[in-house]
Amino acid sequence: MNSSNALLEVSRLSVDLGENRLIDDVTFNINKNEVFCLVGESGSGKSLTSRAIMGLLAKRKWNISGNVQLEACPSNLTTLSEKHWQDIRGKQIAMIYQNPTQALHPFLKIKSQMIQQLKSTGMKSKKEMNNRILQQLDDMNFPEPDQIANAYPCQLSGGMNQRVMIALALLRKPRLLIADEPTTGLDTINQQLIINNLLQLKKRNGMSILFITHDLRLVNKLANKVAVMRKGKIVEAGALTKIKNEPDHPYTKELWKQIPRLYERREASDH
Ligand SMILES: Nc1ncnc2c1ncn2[C@@H]1O[C@H](COP(=O)(O)OP(=O)(O)OP(=O)(O)O)[C@@H](O)[C@H]1O
């Protein structure tokens, strides 16, 4: 790692599908305890970048080059075997998605899904697992964690399932959470609830967040740093204040113009 404050360093990451270069020479760093927002229009390559970082692109289909370095791991993440990834995914880096059904099993109670995660850490005591599960659901501000633990996903609302998915992802206290549009499609109240909850947990657990979104209002509320993607490339990156107040790239200027007024105030206590 080049800096002692860096948690993740992505350097010259490219992803090809056959002749098509879909991610092109992407470079950025995420520091410890930082929220890094990756923004850009649909199809710009945000999700593909996160899936390449997370080792979720099958090598038989995708050609990946570049260097992805995580503080806890001496190897380039793009070269790790699936076996090695089992020590990293969930424990060092976790991911949450827009749609909780991607992460939740429909026919298993929430508790069973959480137990599976905890068993993979070597935890054996039922009591310890039960306490950990209730604590994690309590951290997501569920007033009755026990009821949630004993529910099936279909018995919960979309917003509740989204919070359960976050609880599941954070069970092993990862250093980096990749959040791929986790609030898109939710109503404003649930969106606020989840964003505030994520900021609380970031502070409590001392984790960093790579937050993927096309919603600049969320960027304004959450980000320490921002990278703007377009057609597979990062066209501009820097501190939120710089990207917001003095954007250099015409595309970034255009993005901010789409919001007439940024009314959401950042609460200093969140950070
Ligand atoms: N599984 C796939 N097979 C083929 N092409 C893909 C696949 N996934 C993504 N792509 C292509 O890669 C490019 C980047 O897609 P990506 O999903 O990363 O965009 P995005 O910025 O996350 O968009 P959105 O905001 O809509 O999720 C697009 O041209 C997309 O069509």
Side-chain angles (χ1 to χ4, degrees), residues 126-141:
K126 274 191 180 162
K127 191 171 169 215
E128 199 182 342
M129 284 196 268
N130 205 38
N131 288 343
R132 183 79 188 84
I133 288 167
L134 295 181
Q135 173 65 56
Q136 192 68 29
L137 292 169
D138 185 58
D139 279 354
M140 290 309 300
N141 296 331

Side-chain angles (χ1 to χ4, degrees), residues 17-190:
L17 184 62
E19 297 291 298
N20 289 335
R21 175 144 292 198
L22 296 173
I23 301 300
D24 192 3
D25 214 13
V26 159
T27 295
F28 61 87
N29 289 352
I30 301 181
N31 285 336
K32 292 170 193 161
N33 301 310
E34 171 171 271
V35 180
F36 186 99
C37 285
L38 196 53
V39 298
E41 65 199 0
S42 186
S44 57
K46 306 178 297 294
S47 297
L48 217 47
T49 301
S50 67
R51 282 158 62 207
I53 292 171
M54 201 60 191
L56 294 175
L57 299 178
K59 295 204 170 89
R60 61 179 185 281
K61 174 172 174 180
W62 306 90
N63 188 16
I64 303 160
S65 60
N67 194 10
V68 179
Q69 215 66 54
L70 181 72
E71 191 200 38
C73 176
S75 311
N76 176 354
L77 295 190
T78 67
T79 64
L80 292 188
S81 65
E82 196 44 43
K83 189 167 180 296
H84 198 158
W85 262 111
Q86 285 168 17
D87 290 333
I88 307 273
R89 256 187 235 122
K91 192 170 157 196
Q92 298 291 342
I93 315 181
M95 191 158 176
I96 56 173
Y97 307 88
Q98 179 180 342
N99 185 350
T101 57
Q102 280 177 266
L104 297 179
H105 193 297
F107 306 127
L108 283 180
K109 283 187 178 176
I110 304 305
K111 191 173 176 173
S112 310
Q113 308 197 36
M114 295 180 99
I115 285 175
Q116 280 181 359
Q117 274 278 338
L118 289 174
K119 277 189 176 163
S120 71
T121 66
M123 199 182 274
K124 289 196 176 79
S125 151
K126 274 191 180 162
K127 191 171 169 215
E128 199 182 342
M129 284 196 268
N130 205 38
N131 288 343
R132 183 79 188 84
I133 288 167
L134 295 181
Q135 173 65 56
Q136 192 68 29
L137 292 169
D138 185 58
D139 279 354
M140 290 309 300
N141 296 331
F142 283 112
E144 309 223 29
D146 200 43
Q147 274 186 18
I148 302 295
N150 284 298
Y152 291 95
C154 67
Q155 294 172 307
L156 305 176
S157 70
M160 287 164 114
N161 273 323
Q162 200 69 358
R163 282 154 63 206
V164 166
M165 177 179 62
I166 298 172
L168 199 61
L170 298 185
L171 211 47
R172 295 171 73 186
K173 296 202 184 321
R175 308 281 317 281
L176 175 67
L177 178 71
I178 300 181
D180 191 352
E181 311 235 20
T183 59
T184 307
L186 294 179
D187 58 66
T188 320
I189 290 175
N190 271 302

